[in-house]
């Protein structure tokens, strides 16, 4: 789990800033999906938000068991972060046209929030990013992430970012090279923060 200094409460007045929790990537460190999510969260921080990131090994969780009373430490940390979240951004690779099993299992842990005062993610902004080798899988995965957000009673942002990894998105150093994708990720960060900061979300 990556926590920036603002989300740890080090910066003055940090707790007054919206907390955006990012979830996604693959078990391969620095995957294209993780890079996209990190870039979006960096934009959240630049625009005044706080962030917490769960990626890679953070998502290597036991299969979700709804009737299990005990939670592994990493799973408990994820659920605790979600309870604090003012917004959530989820990024998944598109595996065979669908959300990856790793990310879906992490999302299944949202079920632990069903009995909270804020059930699931009721009235909470939900940003979506998908990465796949081809537009069909990228768009299909993005649609699934939006449906999951609705099921969790969250507000998917108007913009969702589908990235075709077959295009030259990253340069040789792993930096974002596609200006269109950069603009979309930055706009997604803006929308998530705008919704999170609003007293009343759009209906």
């Amino acid at each position: 789990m990556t926590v920036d200094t603002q989300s740890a409460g080090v910066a003055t007045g940090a707790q007054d800033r919206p907390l955006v929790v990012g979830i996604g990537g693959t078990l391969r460190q620095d995957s294209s999906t993780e890079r996209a999510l990190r870039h979006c969260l960096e934009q959240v921080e630049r625009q005044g938000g706080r962030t917490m990131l769960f990626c890679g090994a953070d998502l290597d969780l036991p299969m979700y068991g709804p009737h299990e009373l005990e939670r592994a430490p990493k799973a408990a940390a994820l659920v605790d972060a979600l309870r604090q979240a003012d917004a959530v951004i989820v990024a998944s690779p598109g595996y065979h046209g669908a959300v990856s099993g790793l990310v879906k299992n992490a999302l299944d842990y949202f079920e632990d929030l069903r009995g909270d005062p804020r059930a699931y993610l009721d009235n909470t902004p939900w940003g979506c990013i998908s990465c796949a080798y081809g537009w069909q899988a990228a768009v299909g995965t993005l649609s699934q992430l939006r449906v999951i957000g609705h099921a969790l009673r969250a507000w998917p942002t108007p913009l969702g970012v589908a990235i075709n990894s077959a295009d030259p998105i990253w340069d040789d150093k792993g930096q974002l090279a596609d200006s269109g994708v950069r603009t979309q990720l930055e706009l997604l960060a803006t929308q998530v923060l705008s919704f999170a900061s609003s007293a009343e979300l759009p209906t």
Side-chain angles (χ1 to χ4, degrees):
M1 176 182 64
T2 303
V3 185
D4 73 336
T5 54
Q6 291 183 354
S7 64
V10 175
T12 302
Q15 297 306 317
D16 296 331
R17 301 170 182 173
L19 172 61
V20 180
V21 173
I23 302 171
T26 73
L27 290 178
R28 180 172 62 85
Q29 187 176 9
D30 199 37
S31 66
S32 58
T33 309
E34 181 181 324
R35 290 177 188 173
L37 179 57
R38 284 184 181 276
H39 185 86
C40 192
L41 293 179
E42 287 169 3
Q43 294 304 313
V44 168
E45 292 178 10
R46 289 193 179 114
Q47 296 179 38
R50 299 178 290 136
T51 65
M52 296 180 70
L53 172 61
F54 293 82
C55 63
D58 301 325
L59 302 183
D60 191 8
L61 306 172
M63 291 298 294
Y64 178 73
H67 304 299
E68 294 290 337
L69 299 180
E70 298 294 328
R71 291 285 175 247
K74 289 191 291 187
L78 173 62
V79 173
D80 182 63
L82 294 172
R83 287 196 167 105
Q84 302 175 53
D86 298 300
V88 174
I89 299 176
V90 180
S92 176
Y95 288 170
H96 310 293
V99 174
S100 72
L102 183 77
V103 172
K104 180 57 170 66
N105 185 53
L107 297 182
D108 287 345
Y109 278 89
F110 283 67
E111 183 65 16
D112 284 5
L113 308 178
R114 66 186 180 281
D116 286 9
R118 179 186 70 178
Y120 299 108
L121 290 178
D122 188 41
N123 221 35
T124 303
W126 175 266
C128 304
I129 302 169
S130 67
C131 294
Y133 202 80
W135 284 115
Q136 181 174 342
V139 172
T141 301
L142 181 67
S143 297
Q144 290 179 353
L145 289 174
R146 293 178 66 85
V147 168
I148 292 170
H150 282 298
L152 293 171
R153 308 182 190 177
W155 291 98
T157 56
L159 176 68
V161 181
I163 299 173
N164 183 359
S165 299
D167 293 336
I169 305 298
W170 313 96
D171 63 20
D172 293 338
K173 297 181 179 179
Q175 299 300 309
L176 186 55
D178 188 297
S179 60
V181 171
R182 179 183 297 108
T183 297
Q184 290 184 52
L185 291 173
E186 292 173 0
L187 179 55
L188 179 60
T190 299
Q191 290 185 353
V192 165
L193 272 182
S194 177
F195 285 14
S197 301
S198 299
E200 181 176 351
L201 293 176
T203 57

